[in-house]
Amino acid sequence: MALMDIIKHRHSIRSYLDKPVERDKIMKCLEAARLAPSASNRQTARFIIVDEPGLKNQLCDEAFSGVFAVMKFPRKAPVIVAAVGETPGLAHRAGNIVLRTNFGLIDMGIAVEHFVLQADELGLGTCWLGLFDEGKVKRTLGIPGNKKVAALLTMGYFDEALALGEHNRNNLEGMSSFNGWKLA
Ligand SMILES: Cc1cc2nc3c(=O)[nH]c(=O)nc-3n(C[C@H](O)[C@H](O)[C@H](O)COP(=O)(O)O)c2cc1C
């Protein structure tokens, strides 16, 4: 599929078929994430794949407990992916403060979206998840305290007949201009 077709085809999928995901497909997604660019080529993105049903259910119980209990659909996904970055060390924290940015999170966004787009090309649906109990995710998966769980993803096969419709997005005029800021 051409890149633009994949971009248009990808939607957040919140309903999954009860069908396991092949490891070789997951490895292709990981390879796409591995090739993502990162600031100073630091390559700090790490991915924990949870496809063992018992652990996945335990992870969902923990991640989506308390105020996060509204998140019901991830439990139905056959795979949960934890995208883990680094909490910046002193030098990078200083750099982030001076530049008023967070390169670590930018890097994570790029790597995760590489993963997501590759998944789509392989016929797999995903959904980014930002609402979860990070501390409990770390404890469940044994992720060291100095790491940052930037996002979780659900992943799995889905019914391609789902009417996903057009993406609800700003139009191009609303989000871009040439040769200077000419936006509202
Ligand atoms: C960083 C990030 C966090 C998100 N967190 C959640 C979430 O916690 N729960 C959820 O259902 N969707 C979540 N989403 C999915 C967005 O709601 C979705 O991408 C957006 O509505 C656009 O829809 P689309 O992905 O189908 O194009 C998240 C997306 C991103 C990029």
Side-chain angles (χ1 to χ4, degrees):
M1 244 198 288
L3 179 58
M4 187 54 84
D5 293 331
I6 297 167
I7 289 170
K8 287 183 174 165
H9 183 259
R10 185 218 58 85
H11 286 78
S12 290
I13 300 300
R14 299 184 178 88
S15 176
Y16 293 94
L17 301 179
D18 185 15
K19 178 178 170 187
V21 176
E22 301 87 339
R23 284 268 175 101
D24 65 315
K25 292 196 174 179
I26 297 173
M27 295 309 293
K28 283 188 177 149
C29 298
L30 289 169
E31 175 66 359
R34 187 181 75 83
L35 294 173
S38 60
S40 309
N41 202 22
R42 284 195 300 142
Q43 308 176 61
T44 53
R46 304 286 181 267
F47 291 81
I48 311 297
I49 311 298
V50 181
D51 64 355
E52 194 280 300
L55 179 61
K56 191 213 67 183
N57 289 338
Q58 186 194 341
L59 176 63
C60 287
D61 288 346
E62 298 291 338
F64 309 112
S65 57
V67 289
F68 305 102
V70 284
M71 298 284 294
K72 305 266 184 241
F73 77 87
R75 181 175 263 277
K76 296 278 164 78
V79 179
I80 303 275
V81 180
V84 183
E86 290 191 341
T87 44
L90 202 57
H92 287 119
R93 269 212 308 277
N96 285 345
I97 290 167
V98 171
L99 296 168
R100 293 197 296 163
T101 190
N102 186 333
F103 287 123
L105 279 182
I106 293 172
D107 293 346
M108 290 308 297
I110 299 168
V112 175
E113 193 61 8
H114 272 212
F115 187 105
V116 159
L117 292 175
Q118 179 60 80
D120 184 273
E121 200 208 13
L122 296 168
L124 293 162
T126 57
C127 186
W128 280 77
L129 302 172
L131 297 177
F132 56 86
D133 187 321
E134 188 193 7
K136 289 184 177 175
V137 169
K138 282 175 154 179
R139 270 198 296 282
T140 307
L141 299 180
I143 296 167
N146 64 347
K147 301 288 180 191
K148 170 77 192 157
V149 183
L152 298 179
L153 291 176
T154 51
M155 177 158 83
Y157 288 99
F158 64 103
D159 183 357
E160 284 276 357
L162 281 178
L164 296 168
E166 291 281 302
H167 287 284
N168 175 19
R169 297 292 193 268
N170 296 329
N171 57 30
L172 276 179
E173 295 72 39
M175 55 81 76
S176 58
S177 65
F178 283 89
N179 306 313
W181 180 273
K182 295 160 192 167
L183 301 168

